[in-house]
Amino acid sequence: MKKIILHVDMDAFFASVEQVDNKSLRGKPVIVGGVSERGVVSTCSYEARKYGVSSAMPAFIARQKCPTGIFLPVRHNRYKEVSEKIFKIFREVTPLIEPLSIDEAYLDLSESTFKTGEEAAKYIKTRVYRELGLTLSIGISYNKFLAKLASDWNKPNGIKIIDENMLPDILFPLPIRRIHGLGKKACEKLNNMGIFKVEDLYKMDKEFFIKYLGKYGIEIYERIRGIDKREVKVSRDRKSVGKEKTLKSNTNNIDELKEYLIEFAKKINEILDKTDKSGRTITLKYKTGEFQNHTRSKTLSKYIKSFEDIYEVGCELLEETPIEEEIRLIGLSISSFREEKEVQLKLF
Ligand code: TTP
Ligand code: MG
């Protein structure tokens, strides 16, 4: 029997949490992140999206596009708290959950008491809305690729089912960048060869995929035919990789602290290389002389793993943090790991 897979993704997550916590923000263009002139937008409410604001946009552009936008600082701890409540509701539906990020997961209903994806999706939406006042979008299909594609279909607050009998028609008109696993570079190369839509790619034979898309070629070949054998990985995997140290003596000297970040970034990069991971949330942690713990995080629009990138974001976080008292411990970690390698088209 075919599996039932759900892909669930909260709508405008950080911005929606802000609107729930502060009634006066509802219905307004809320932009989270980008408070400082040099910052970037983390996300924004659908009201702000009408003005053309989007994630990872530099703040000054967002301000030009949406002068009435309400810019708010990122409150990572609060979003984390809400995320935990949402995942608790997911666990009422099935134990087979693969978290993808703070607001996104795959659910496999194989061991669920819910017999249809629609029932499960309605249950989740009702519970999340009643308890947290938030909406989410859910895609339902028989594999991960199609479920993820479906959750994006009617965003926000959507439910979309993709059945086998809808294929290949539903995929044909899509631009190839919608195919999970085809990275930006791969799409550019294919575009240069006159391939824009899934329908164009579908016409190519298996050899083409192997030749131009390397070791992921066959997966892409299958994917556009609606085949995706990836299991929902109930990960007991580490959710973050990090390093921390109690300082030799307490300090708030930025240059000294940066020395530690160099060491941490090197170590983190080594582990990421070994485990073939990259991440997009970097967290700086410190403990004051009074033993108070603080964390500051930054979620990027792209995944990183190199020493240079990790160190650079660590330094940014450090520089943006007003550390008045001397600190006794510092740490750096990376999380929000990428689900799998994106296809990097080989040079040809
Ligand atoms: P997304 O699910 O990609 O975006 P979203 O929930 O805000 O909006 P959508 O309705 O389109 O799903 O990301 C989840 C959260 O992760 C988002 O609320 C903020 C954070 N984030 C960043 O900080 N930077 C980014 O570039 C992106 C894409 C997300
Ligand atoms: Mg989301």
Side-chain angles (χ1 to χ4, degrees):
M1 216 176 74
K2 280 213 179 308
K3 285 197 166 159
I4 304 172
I5 310 292
L6 268 55
H7 178 259
V8 291
D9 183 0
M10 301 300 296
D11 300 323
F13 186 49
F14 294 4
S16 305
V17 172
E18 297 298 341
Q19 287 176 321
V20 164
D21 287 356
N22 179 349
K23 275 191 189 149
S24 71
L25 298 173
R26 296 184 195 166
K28 301 209 171 126
V30 171
I31 299 167
V32 180
V35 172
S36 75
E37 214 34 59
R38 293 190 310 126
V40 295
V41 172
S42 288
T43 192
C44 61
S45 66
Y46 278 77
E47 292 85 358
R49 293 185 196 193
K50 287 186 199 141
Y51 294 84
V53 180
S54 61
S55 288
M57 178 179 277
F60 75 94
I61 296 182
R63 274 202 182 80
Q64 282 166 9
K65 287 191 182 275
C66 185
T68 55
I70 302 163
F71 286 77
L72 301 173
V74 181
R75 293 188 300 149
H76 224 278
N77 292 340
R78 174 66 183 139
Y79 312 140
K80 188 82 201 131
E81 199 176 276
V82 176
S83 168
E84 278 162 17
K85 291 188 180 151
I86 295 161
F87 275 82
K88 231 176 169 173
I89 296 175
F90 298 163
R91 282 195 290 275
E92 290 174 19
V93 169
T94 174
L96 304 181
I97 299 171
E98 178 178 340
L100 297 178
S101 75
I102 191 165
D103 84 324
E104 205 185 326
Y106 286 116
L107 276 56
D108 178 339
L109 298 194
S110 303
E111 295 177 18
S112 171
T113 50
F114 288 89
K115 293 290 165 261
T116 71
E118 226 174 339
E119 280 172 66
K122 282 187 182 148
Y123 177 82
I124 291 170
K125 275 166 145 300
T126 310
R127 288 290 312 270
V128 170
Y129 190 73
R130 268 201 209 138
E131 277 174 39
L132 301 157
L134 295 167
T135 64
L136 68 163
S137 297
I138 303 185
I140 306 165
S141 195
Y142 52 90
N143 64 39
K144 284 186 177 184
F145 164 58
L146 294 172
K148 182 151 181 157
L149 197 70
S151 75
D152 233 16
W153 216 267
N154 299 319
K155 237 180 186 314
N157 203 6
I159 292 187
K160 167 83 178 165
I161 303 173
I162 297 185
D163 278 337
E164 208 169 5
N165 60 18
M166 296 177 181
L167 296 176
D169 298 353
I170 200 163
L171 298 177
F172 271 9
L174 299 178
I176 51 172
R177 66 179 155 74
R178 296 287 301 275
I179 302 307
H180 185 72
L182 275 183
K184 207 172 155 209
K185 276 189 194 155
C187 287
E188 275 169 18
K189 298 275 176 177
L190 291 169
N191 287 164
N192 287 339
M193 298 163 92
I195 295 167
F196 297 94
K197 291 189 174 162
V198 173
E199 187 169 11
D200 306 328
L201 194 56
Y202 197 90
K203 289 178 192 142
M204 302 299 159
D205 58 16
K206 256 189 187 167
E207 279 60 47
F208 176 91
F209 286 82
I210 296 165
K211 185 167 175 196
Y212 296 117
L213 300 173
K215 62 177 173 174
Y216 295 99
I218 293 298
E219 272 179 44
I220 303 294
Y221 175 88
E222 291 181 339
R223 219 160 269 181
I224 62 173
R225 285 161 175 77
I227 302 164
D228 180 5
K229 298 187 188 115
R230 291 172 303 156
E231 296 282 326
V232 169
K233 280 192 233 120
V234 184
S235 91
R236 284 175 194 85
D237 253 0
R238 279 202 277 184
K239 302 241 173 356
S240 72
V241 168
K243 202 64 200 135
E244 61 181 46
K245 236 180 194 172
T246 302
L247 314 184
K248 286 190 196 89
S249 56
N250 294 4
T251 180
N252 59 1
N253 180 300
I254 289 261
D255 294 327
E256 264 180 63
L257 294 173
K258 280 186 181 170
E259 288 299 312
Y260 286 95
L261 297 188
I262 292 180
E263 181 190 327
F264 299 163
K266 274 188 191 150
K267 191 73 206 162
I268 292 169
N269 165 256
E270 265 175 43
I271 298 170
L272 293 180
D273 271 346
K274 265 191 217 145
T275 51
D276 207 14
K277 283 193 169 92
S278 54
R280 65 182 182 112
T281 301
I282 302 285
T283 302
L284 175 77
K285 167 182 173 180
Y286 63 94
K287 195 186 274 183
T288 64
E290 304 300 323
F291 289 90
Q292 283 195 304
N293 281 318
H294 298 268
T295 56
R296 291 196 59 141
S297 299
K298 195 170 256 191
T299 298
L300 311 167
S301 55
K302 60 169 192 180
Y303 291 89
I304 60 172
K305 69 185 312 175
S306 73
F307 156 72
E308 289 83 2
D309 287 345
I310 297 166
Y311 176 61
E312 192 185 319
V313 182
C315 287
E316 280 169 23
L317 283 166
L318 189 60
E319 277 158 6
E320 289 165 7
T321 309
I323 304 178
E324 267 121 28
E325 358 171 11
E326 294 195 329
I327 66 172
R328 56 173 284 115
L329 173 145
I330 184 164
L332 192 68
S333 62
I334 187 164
S335 55
S336 310
F337 294 128
R338 174 160 23 207
E339 180 194 358
E340 57 160 10
K341 258 189 177 172
E342 283 209 332
V343 172
Q344 288 295 328
L345 195 72
K346 282 184 182 164
L347 286 177
F348 58 91

